[in-house]
Amino acid sequence: MEFEFVTRRPTGVLEPFTESVWFARGRMPYPRERIAPTGSTVAVLVLGSPIVQTPRNGDGPAFVAAEGWLTGPHDQPVINAPTAETLAVGVVSSPVGCRALFGVDPAPLRGRVVDLTTVWPPARALRAALLARPDPAACLDSVEATLRAGLSPARGWRRCTTAVAALEADPRRRISGLAAELGITPAHLDREFVRVIGLTPRSLARILRLRRLLNHVDVHADLNWTGLAAAWGWFDQSHFIRDFKRHSGVTPSAYVLAQRGAYATGQNEPGFVPEM
């Protein structure tokens, strides 16, 4: 069976808080994968066989999700390991979306994977509705409707959204300068980020910088990692490799080998490290 993956970017009131909602069905061609952080919180409703999630690049406790899980903001990879064929529906928040979508403060969730039906009460009824009609479009419609009905943005989300956009545009910029543009102190910005996003501005900037680099990498081409690192502001190669490994779980060369072994030419899956 081919792996079916349907994704949608919600609009309207959900747009500032949601990167995507998705439907997945099928069997991965490899037993597990490392998924690099993006600054988001991820909720998944499991409709088929259990899926094992292990945070902090395998150093955290493994969570066997029979019904669903919530992955908090993190700065290291999460290991995703289905136990059989996947049937699941997911929500990827924007950095400011955790509290708004799921009613959960993100800071206590940092680097953790928890049971979704425990922390997000609507999850149980939503899962029952999805099981009754596991059609991709209908599932995504139901997820969006549930998210809209419970939407509750955190105080300060607008300023954090402005700050995130500035860091996405240039993740190398000074946090003190960004705080000054927003009319607050760096300490105030730190506190607001931790409360709304669950990460400090500096931690998110590191994630965004690696993410932008990976978005521009063609693993099937000849790569000059030294030149790429310098272009994105790493002038110390050992510093770049440390950041890369912390973000993806592997070295740049191992990342290329893993992607080449799993993905066809032209297929771009930034931040995914398949383990064959």
Side-chain angles (χ1 to χ4, degrees):
M1 179 182 183
E2 288 190 10
F3 196 87
E4 178 183 13
F5 187 76
V6 180
T7 185
R8 178 192 297 174
R9 177 70 186 263
T11 57
V13 295
L14 293 178
E15 188 170 0
F17 309 105
T18 318
E19 292 291 339
S20 67
V21 293
W22 52 262
F23 174 95
R25 176 165 49 198
R27 187 181 292 273
M28 295 195 318
Y30 39 82
R32 68 181 200 165
E33 60 192 357
R34 297 175 194 269
I35 305 175
T38 64
S40 302
T41 297
V42 179
V44 178
L45 290 148
V46 177
L47 309 180
S49 301
I51 300 173
V52 181
Q53 297 290 297
T54 310
R56 299 195 293 275
N57 198 29
D59 289 337
F63 179 79
V64 181
E67 297 183 314
W69 76 84
L70 185 69
T71 302
H74 51 288
D75 57 4
Q76 295 183 67
V78 171
I79 297 176
N80 174 57
T83 59
E85 185 177 292
T86 294
L87 180 58
V89 177
V91 180
V92 180
S93 81
S94 71
V96 302
C98 182
R99 180 68 177 79
L101 298 177
F102 310 115
V104 181
D105 292 328
L109 292 174
R110 179 172 178 171
R112 298 176 59 206
V113 178
V114 298
D115 180 66
L116 180 64
T117 59
T118 299
V119 298
W120 189 40
R124 196 169 296 281
L126 175 58
R127 181 174 181 270
L130 300 182
L131 284 167
R133 191 181 177 190
D135 167 74
C139 283
L140 299 187
D141 287 344
S142 295
V143 169
E144 287 195 46
T146 301
L147 294 174
R148 281 194 299 270
L151 193 65
S152 179
R155 176 173 50 86
W157 74 269
R158 292 184 187 277
R159 181 158 52 202
C160 286
T161 297
T162 300
V164 169
L167 291 174
E168 287 176 336
D170 183 6
R172 297 165 294 182
R173 65 176 302 163
R174 292 177 65 86
I175 302 303
S176 58
L178 175 58
E181 290 177 18
L182 295 169
I184 57 177
T185 66
H188 187 153
L189 184 61
D190 269 8
R191 290 193 298 271
E192 197 157 73
F193 254 58
V194 170
R195 181 172 54 80
V196 176
I197 297 173
L199 300 165
T200 66
R202 197 169 303 282
S203 293
L204 181 63
R206 284 196 294 264
I207 291 168
L208 294 176
R209 180 162 64 154
L210 251 306
R211 196 69 182 182
R212 285 191 64 178
L213 181 145
L214 293 180
N215 285 340
H216 287 81
V217 165
D218 178 359
V219 297
H220 294 280
D222 291 331
L223 292 170
N224 177 2
W225 283 112
T226 301
L228 283 168
W232 291 98
W234 285 279
F235 300 106
D236 181 325
Q237 190 69 3
S238 62
H239 181 199
F240 166 67
I241 292 173
R242 284 197 304 271
D243 278 0
F244 194 103
K245 191 170 183 179
R246 179 176 180 82
H247 180 80
S248 69
V250 296
T251 63
S253 58
Y255 176 82
V256 169
L257 288 174
Q259 288 232 334
R260 284 179 178 174
Y263 304 134
T265 302
Q267 187 177 0
N268 184 29
E269 300 290 347
F272 285 77
V273 184
E275 297 189 2
M276 306 301 289

